[in-house]
Amino acid sequence: MTNPQMPQQSWPGTNPHYPPPPKKRAVWPWVLGGFCAFVLLLFGGCVALLSSAADEVAESAEKQTSVSPAGSEVRDGKFGFVVTRVEPPVASVGDNQFLKKDAQGEFILVHVDVSNTGDQPQTYFGDNQKLVDAQGRLYSNDTAAEVNLNKNLVTEINPGNRISVVLAFDVPKGTTPTAIEFHDSAFSGGARVALR
């Protein structure tokens, strides 16, 4: 029998007046779910970035392969370019015996007007320009030959101003130049204009 005046005996580790504490839930499902969500977001961001980069490359490639008609102004970045004349090929350039430059093949000399179409001074480098032949090969501007043709190899052009330069391309004899690819900088997409 139980005595009503006797307090009830409680077992060690239990409290008769309070309910037992709730069981702890496992944390690992939340950690695993968070990790999976992170991986999915990272993957989605990479896909979006690669898609955007592919679109830019395709647009740049399309811009480079499309050729504007001869005599028209083309723009790349902050510069506008107009080819004013193409001279017949020559074997060497320069009158100074120390600066005279002989071509490995022959020089094609292209006269160009370069305008700053932006709103800040921009530095022009002749070395950024490329010549394209009938087979689609690219030729770089010969800076050593250009020393004989221009006052400055590197020129800062103020907004709205224009300079005239001569570009010299050393190409194999008999090469047929078809276009020139102008660049605002070494990293720009470029713009092509036909030479004929």
Side-chain angles (χ1 to χ4, degrees):
M1 265 201 330
T2 60
N3 186 351
Q5 294 179 352
M6 290 281 294
Q8 285 191 346
Q9 206 174 20
S10 62
W11 298 100
T14 62
N15 187 343
H17 302 289
Y18 298 106
K23 290 185 177 182
K24 290 187 178 180
R25 293 186 176 216
V27 176
W28 68 267
W30 290 101
V31 172
L32 183 61
F35 178 75
C36 290
F38 173 75
V39 169
L40 286 174
L41 286 173
L42 184 64
F43 180 73
C46 288
V47 167
L49 184 64
L50 289 174
S51 174
S52 173
D55 290 345
E56 285 182 29
V57 168
E59 184 179 310
S60 176
E62 181 181 323
K63 188 177 178 184
Q64 282 185 351
T65 56
S66 65
V67 180
S68 296
S72 62
E73 180 185 59
V74 293
R75 292 188 177 191
D76 186 60
K78 306 286 186 205
F79 286 136
F81 301 91
V82 177
V83 174
T84 58
R85 182 170 60 135
V86 179
E87 291 186 28
V90 295
S92 64
V93 292
D95 297 329
N96 184 318
Q97 66 179 1
F98 300 108
L99 297 176
K100 182 179 178 181
K101 177 77 180 267
D102 294 325
Q104 296 170 354
E106 59 188 8
F107 286 116
I108 295 178
L109 305 177
V110 181
H111 296 255
V112 180
D113 286 345
V114 183
S115 304
N116 182 339
T117 60
D119 57 3
Q120 295 181 14
Q122 183 79 3
T123 304
Y124 166 80
F125 294 94
D127 200 40
N128 293 333
Q129 316 320 323
K130 309 288 182 213
L131 183 78
V132 184
D133 72 5
Q135 297 175 11
R137 297 179 292 191
L138 293 176
Y139 299 92
S140 62
N141 183 26
D142 190 320
T143 307
E146 195 180 343
V147 167
N148 295 289
L149 304 169
N150 299 305
K151 294 177 187 175
N152 299 314
L153 295 179
V154 177
T155 305
E156 185 168 80
I157 306 172
N158 282 321
N161 284 346
R162 181 183 72 201
I163 63 168
S164 294
V165 296
V166 180
L167 302 173
F169 299 97
D170 190 348
V171 299
K173 289 183 179 180
T175 299
T176 303
T178 57
I180 190 165
E181 186 176 291
F182 291 112
H183 291 271
D184 169 87
S185 71
F187 307 106
S188 68
R192 289 187 181 186
V193 65
L195 293 178
R196 298 171 192 241

